[in-house]
Amino acid sequence: MIWQQLLNGLTLGSTYALIALGYTMVYGIIQLINFAHGEIYMIGAFVGLFLVVNTGLNIGVALLGAMAFCMVLGMLVELIAYRPLRGRASRLSGIISAIGVSIFLSTLMVLIAQTNTRRYPDIFNIQTFQVGDLQVSSLQVIILVVATLLMIGLQLLVQKTRVGKAMRACSQDLEAAYLMGINVNRIISFTFAIGSALAAAGGVMVGIYYNAVWPYMGTMAGLKAFAAAILGGIGSIPGAMIGGLTLGVLEILGVAFLSSSYKDAIAFGILILVLIIRPQGIMGQKITKKV
Amino acid sequence: MAVLQLEEITMEFGGLRALDLVDIKVEEQQIYGIIGPNGAGKTTLFNIITGIYLPTGGKVIFKDCLLNKMHPWDVARQGIGRTFQNIRLFNKLSVLDNVRVGSHGVSKSGFFGSMLGLPSSRREEKMIVEKAEHLLELVGLGEKKLEYADNLAYGEQRRLEIARAMALNPSLLLLDEPAAGMNSTEKVELMDLIWKIRNEMQLTIILVEHDMNLVMNICEQIAVLDYGRKIADGPPEVVKNDERVIQSYLGAEA
Amino acid sequence: MDALISQYIDPYYLRILMLIGINIILALGLNLITGVTGQLSMGHAGFMSIGAYTSAILSMQMGSPFFLSLLAGAMVAAFFGFLIGIPTLRLEGDYLAMVTIGFAEIIRVFFLNFEPGGKAVGLSGIPQNTTFVLVWTLVIIIIILNAKLLSSRIGRAFYAIRENEIAAEASGINSTRLKVLAFTAGSFLAGLGGGLYAHYMYFIRPQDFAFMKSIELLNMVVLGGMGSIPGTILGSVILTLLPEMLRIVAEYRLLFYGALLVILMIFRPNGLLGDVRVYDIKKKLQGKKVGLWQSSN
């Protein structure tokens, strides 16, 4: 029973982790809570759905299509709503602008798709395996594998490539990176693109897993993913992964053993408790005050 | 009797020893200089005295009172004012308000008293304003009291920090590189100001400074730090001619 | 007096004026926390809901007199502000934002499952005791007290914490204590606004106090100009009127609202009134130039 819950929790948690990565990467570089990120995830789910239903594409191709679409969208949002504020406004103005984008995108989706919940067509032929006491659906396996591959890919990108090195430099010190000749705007744009693509992948997979896609799905998922990023220690990429998985598992366990009517409160309750005990999050660095 | 006594102060940051068994004794109404190359631990010492860092070992004794574990605000209320190396003003407050905030530790009006404008609060407020205006005259910023702090020139900002620290009626004033970024005229004015403050208000001043000319001219006692260790102390003439000091610090500049 | 007003003012406009008044009270509370003291709170609606439910339940189920319900709602909200403030206000900026979001969500889920509050259906039949005169009298009193507070020793200490916490502490300011104080006072006003709202709207539901409501209140504080009382009032007025004016664009209303937020932040990143305070005006009258501000954080 507990192993079953653990598996379900890991599946949910891996999608939180995918969204949390976008929050944490953007935050790491420009200290902005990108509240529009949840909407990118939602739009990713819709684009994937559209591609599967209207063009009959293979789901793998649709997933890549949704990721590509959201990459562009993420870069566009950064260009229009955040870049003009950079360097001449307080961080709070950035947050308000992000909230504006979030309201805009979710309303736009309501206008396009109406508020009713849509479902992915039944094309997957989901199978369930029995492993000991465990019920494992092929969908869970696919989600876990895809999420793991994406996270490994991200880790390689950040640690091994030139652009990854530039990203790390920017998150250490944006100004110094600029002085070292790094095209900071391009790196920020790239960060938004990568984060948005991961969120879109999360959106498509959650849409299929829970069989529901609707315009307001991004709000709560976004808040919880942000909570996961904070839980892991915001700015830390491994932190976002661990935070996402932890939150997913604890939420499922909480629902199983406490009460499902408090589902949305459990994640936040855990977050508050962790932050009271460990204010910098699980993987976050303790910042010594610089005087 | 010593006003401030640092006994075997040691500070470690994750295995890195920034200060190693430093002993310093500052007498009443002295102008005491702390010098040393960058990274010698001078500002760290200030942060330990003012309660921002908790030292790994050693004691900070101020007028028979152990400061170690006190919060920064409690240290301030003991009568220790300070300025900062990288200027820390309240940028969006007026120059006058910056100094008025400086009086916080020595005034009392509470939440309801302030909100309801009780007579005691109003009296106190009047005194705070008078004191602030007086201090601004003293540092030569009387004309600029309604400017935003971040509209001031660099040298003016340093002087405003001094005025703000003075609003606390301190008996010990810590100045962290007060002359940094000043031109030579401003530096002369600063020296006059420091003397004036000490003589008029009868307080003790410790300053960290890189400008040797200023330090040698103004300080009565000097301690030299190098890699977290105190390598010499004494009056300027003694320190100036100390073999180790010349080797590790003064010599490098000459 | 109220009878006279309702005779001469169209009910639609009267309703808007009431909502403006209530929003000013709520936003001034948040301004103390976020605008003045610089502690980003994104859960103000949570404290508002505590005030709304407490006062409504007291009025409806305990038969308590209106003023007592109102005061009790504000006090309970302040108490929770105090309680959540102590352990969390030592968290840095955005971590605090997350905790306040989380706390407000927990409150919302609590009321969704709270039997005496009518669960998801909410409470209806709350006596409509909130009158125009009451709301605007309170608005005026709160503005005056707020202005006095902000120009006093305690108010200056709030601003100092926002501007530079380390320097504030070096001036003898106990930043932890004052942050909790600002949070408690701000939550008190949230609870008061919530009580007025409940006794005006006749009916309340948990989703009236969801994340978007907190954001709406935050927008009022930021849009007008952080930390400025006139700014907060202006922000409350504009953002209460805006959705009404956008009714002409019908279902595109929120689309415009979102876009306008972005555009306003691009063109007035520090809010409409920046940090307008009395001495700026004095200086303008003296014909000297006052610099624009840019927040340091």
Side-chain angles (χ1 to χ4, degrees):
Chain A
M1 175 63 185
I2 178 117
W3 293 108
Q4 184 68 50
Q5 301 299 352
L6 218 54
L7 175 70
N8 298 348
L10 282 177
T11 313
L12 176 67
S14 64
T15 64
Y16 284 159
L18 285 178
I19 317 172
L21 283 167
Y23 275 109
T24 230
M25 286 194 295
V26 166
Y27 192 91
I29 292 187
I30 56 173
Q31 283 79 50
L32 170 81
I33 310 175
N34 180 13
F35 274 106
H37 195 59
E39 269 55 50
I40 303 270
Y41 151 90
M42 174 272 293
I43 288 176
F46 267 104
V47 172
L49 178 77
F50 174 83
L51 290 177
V52 168
V53 174
N54 292 25
T55 64
L57 280 173
N58 169 287
I59 182 64
V61 183
L63 181 78
L64 290 177
M67 288 170 75
F69 184 91
C70 286
M71 263 182 160
V72 177
L73 183 66
M75 281 157 59
L76 214 60
V77 166
E78 190 272 326
L79 185 70
I80 294 170
Y82 306 148
R83 191 173 297 180
L85 288 168
R86 208 140 60 225
R88 58 183 206 96
S90 75
R91 255 182 14 206
L92 200 49
S93 313
I95 291 178
I96 300 292
S97 190
I99 288 165
V101 174
S102 155
I103 296 173
F104 182 88
L105 289 178
S106 59
T107 316
L108 191 67
M109 217 57 221
V110 170
L111 291 172
I112 295 171
Q114 317 303 307
T115 47
N116 47 349
T117 301
R118 295 173 181 248
R119 294 176 203 294
Y120 273 84
D122 193 14
I123 51 168
F124 302 107
N125 189 16
I126 299 163
Q127 289 163 354
T128 312
F129 313 96
Q130 191 77 26
V131 184
D133 293 340
L134 225 53
Q135 300 253 334
V136 187
S137 85
S138 53
L139 207 51
Q140 283 180 318
V141 176
I142 292 170
I143 290 177
L144 284 171
V145 169
V146 172
T148 311
L149 286 178
L150 286 173
M151 286 190 246
I152 292 173
L154 178 71
Q155 205 58 333
L156 288 176
L157 177 82
V158 171
Q159 297 299 337
K160 302 282 182 207
T161 65
R162 220 175 115 80
V163 64
K165 198 194 260 175
M167 283 168 76
R168 280 181 288 145
C170 285
S171 74
Q172 287 285 320
D173 188 332
L174 206 58
E175 206 172 305
Y178 174 74
L179 292 173
M180 293 295 113
I182 292 174
N183 185 338
V184 168
N185 277 337
R186 197 189 293 163
I187 293 299
I188 293 172
S189 217
F190 184 75
T191 306
F192 270 87
I194 298 295
S196 304
L198 293 175
V204 172
M205 295 197 296
V206 167
I208 299 169
Y209 186 54
Y210 288 107
N211 208 4
V213 177
W214 79 104
Y216 296 119
M217 69 190 278
T219 314
M220 191 46 78
L223 286 182
K224 282 192 191 157
F226 177 45
I230 294 254
L231 188 67
I234 196 151
S236 152
I237 289 179
M241 298 177 190
I242 291 171
L245 292 174
T246 313
L247 204 65
V249 168
L250 290 179
E251 190 175 301
I252 294 285
L253 290 180
V255 169
F257 295 110
L258 299 172
S259 153
S260 65
S261 47
Y262 284 94
K263 177 169 176 285
D264 288 339
I266 290 168
F268 295 114
I270 293 163
L271 177 83
I272 292 175
L273 282 181
V274 170
L275 285 185
I276 287 171
I277 299 163
R278 201 176 149 78
Q280 69 273 31
I282 299 172
M283 300 285 282
Q285 301 276 319
K286 191 166 167 52
I287 307 149
T288 327
K289 276 196 238 177
K290 278 187 218 153
V291 182
Chain B
M1 195 209 89
V3 175
L4 181 77
Q5 211 167 336
L6 304 182
E7 288 176 9
E8 302 190 334
I9 292 291
T10 300
M11 183 74 207
E12 282 175 5
F13 294 105
L16 185 82
R17 190 162 273 212
L19 288 172
D20 193 7
L21 301 171
V22 174
D23 287 297
I24 281 177
K25 202 180 215 179
V26 184
E27 301 294 330
E28 190 110 23
Q29 292 194 43
Q30 218 166 32
I31 298 184
Y32 195 104
I34 299 176
I35 60 173
N38 281 329
K42 302 174 304 263
T43 299
T44 306
L45 206 58
F46 270 17
N47 289 339
I48 286 174
I49 297 172
T50 52
I52 293 173
Y53 295 154
L54 182 69
T56 319
K59 284 182 191 165
V60 183
I61 300 162
F62 176 65
K63 294 181 179 169
D64 296 329
C65 177
L66 189 69
L67 294 188
N68 289 56
K69 295 191 182 171
M70 267 195 197
H71 291 293
W73 52 85
D74 288 326
V75 173
R77 287 167 188 202
Q78 293 288 319
I80 300 182
R82 74 171 288 183
T83 67
F84 295 89
Q85 182 185 347
N86 46 344
I87 302 175
R88 288 180 170 271
L89 287 168
F90 309 123
N91 283 333
K92 309 307 171 209
L93 297 187
S94 71
V95 167
L96 182 66
D97 276 356
N98 266 272
V99 186
R100 284 159 95 191
V101 171
S103 296
H104 191 94
V106 288
S107 46
K108 286 197 207 52
S109 300
F111 181 73
F112 291 104
S114 298
M115 198 159 61
L116 301 172
L118 297 181
S120 60
S121 297
R122 270 188 296 190
R123 263 198 309 276
E124 188 179 80
E125 192 62 38
K126 214 178 135 210
M127 275 164 53
I128 289 174
V129 173
E130 274 166 17
K131 181 166 76 178
E133 287 181 338
H134 169 75
L135 286 170
L136 284 175
E137 290 299 331
L138 188 77
V139 301
L141 291 172
E143 296 274 290
K144 306 222 165 180
K145 65 179 183 184
L146 294 180
E147 292 283 348
Y148 279 128
D150 64 350
N151 282 357
L152 296 184
Y154 200 69
E156 292 174 329
Q157 293 197 344
R158 291 227 173 264
R159 284 188 314 216
L160 176 55
E161 274 213 323
I162 295 177
R164 182 179 67 189
M166 295 295 298
L168 201 56
N169 303 337
S171 49
L172 172 65
L173 183 62
L174 309 177
L175 303 177
D176 200 346
E177 299 197 19
M182 285 188 173
N183 62 34
S184 48
T185 335
E186 284 176 317
K187 278 179 187 169
V188 173
E189 284 170 5
L190 178 73
M191 275 196 267
D192 287 339
L193 178 66
I194 293 174
W195 262 312
K196 201 161 84 179
I197 289 173
R198 196 267 306 262
N199 296 339
E200 278 183 20
M201 323 250 169
Q202 278 129 38
L203 44 77
T204 313
I205 294 176
I206 305 179
L207 56 93
V208 161
E209 185 50 66
H210 275 299
D211 187 302
M212 276 310 121
N213 190 22
L214 186 134
V215 172
M216 293 301 169
N217 259 311
I218 204 172
C219 295
E220 290 137 356
Q221 197 78 15
I222 293 171
V224 188
L225 294 185
D226 192 24
Y227 291 109
R229 293 219 173 96
K230 188 178 76 174
I231 54 170
D233 63 354
E237 315 77 60
V238 176
V239 167
K240 229 187 289 190
N241 298 316
D242 187 286
E243 207 47 46
R244 292 176 67 189
V245 176
I246 294 169
Q247 244 180 29
S248 77
Y249 187 45
L250 296 175
E253 271 185 20
Chain C
M1 180 72 177
D2 278 304
L4 206 68
I5 287 165
S6 54
Q7 208 174 340
Y8 286 100
I9 303 180
D10 180 272
Y12 174 69
Y13 293 110
L14 194 62
R15 181 190 154 83
I16 293 172
L17 284 174
M18 295 283 282
L19 290 178
I20 287 177
I22 293 172
N23 281 337
I24 288 175
I25 294 174
L26 291 165
L28 282 175
L30 184 59
N31 184 47
L32 273 183
I33 300 169
T34 300
V36 177
T37 318
Q39 307 301 306
L40 179 52
S41 165
M42 304 186 89
H44 207 54
F47 297 99
M48 180 189 174
S49 72
I50 293 177
Y53 272 97
T54 306
S55 65
I57 289 172
L58 283 177
S59 291
M60 289 169 68
Q61 292 162 19
M62 315 272 171
S64 115
F66 174 51
F67 283 98
L68 204 64
S69 309
L70 213 53
L71 187 67
M75 298 286 274
V76 173
F79 175 71
F80 274 95
F82 175 75
L83 217 60
I84 190 91
I86 294 171
T88 53
L89 284 172
R90 64 197 179 104
L91 298 172
E92 300 281 327
D94 296 334
Y95 284 63
L96 177 65
M98 187 64 239
V99 168
T100 51
I101 293 173
F103 177 71
E105 279 302 308
I106 291 172
I107 295 287
R108 188 178 65 85
V109 173
F110 170 78
F111 283 126
L112 271 176
N113 294 287
F114 186 53
E115 199 73 60
K119 293 192 160 186
V121 183
L123 277 176
S124 57
I126 306 164
Q128 282 182 292
N129 288 325
T130 305
T131 64
F132 180 86
V133 174
L134 175 72
V135 167
W136 282 93
T137 313
L138 281 174
V139 167
I140 290 164
I141 293 172
I142 288 165
I143 288 173
I144 292 171
L145 290 181
N146 236 296
K148 285 215 160 182
L149 179 71
L150 292 189
S151 62
S152 75
R153 169 176 181 262
I154 300 291
R156 279 194 305 271
F158 286 158
Y159 282 113
I161 290 171
R162 180 189 77 182
E163 290 295 310
N164 198 317
E165 198 169 328
I166 287 173
E169 290 179 353
S171 302
I173 293 171
N174 182 340
S175 56
T176 314
R177 203 178 143 262
L178 280 173
K179 282 192 224 167
V180 173
L181 182 63
F183 213 76
T184 309
S187 305
F188 180 90
L189 289 181
L192 182 67
L196 290 169
Y197 179 84
H199 287 83
Y200 175 66
M201 294 305 279
Y202 179 75
F203 124 90
I204 50 173
R205 294 169 306 175
Q207 63 259 45
D208 296 340
F209 311 100
F211 181 58
M212 267 318 290
K213 182 69 190 177
S214 295
I215 292 307
E216 214 180 296
L217 294 169
L218 183 65
N219 287 342
M220 292 176 187
V221 173
V222 180
L223 183 81
M226 295 270 290
S228 137
I229 295 176
T232 303
I233 296 171
L234 185 70
S236 313
V237 173
I238 291 178
L239 287 184
T240 315
L241 287 178
L242 191 66
E244 300 298 328
M245 295 194 292
L246 287 176
R247 272 180 204 282
I248 19 172
V249 288
E251 71 261 48
Y252 297 95
R253 194 170 66 108
L254 278 173
L255 205 63
F256 276 86
Y257 183 88
L260 273 174
L261 283 184
V262 177
I263 291 166
L264 270 164
M265 284 303 121
I266 290 173
F267 289 102
R268 296 288 303 171
N270 295 318
L272 292 170
L273 293 185
D275 226 345
V276 173
R277 297 176 42 156
V278 179
Y279 55 70
D280 302 333
I281 299 163
K282 269 190 201 153
K283 279 199 78 173
K284 283 215 172 98
L285 291 179
Q286 288 168 4
K288 287 185 194 164
K289 203 176 132 254
V290 176
L292 281 171
W293 75 264
Q294 257 189 346
S295 180
S296 46
N297 47 1

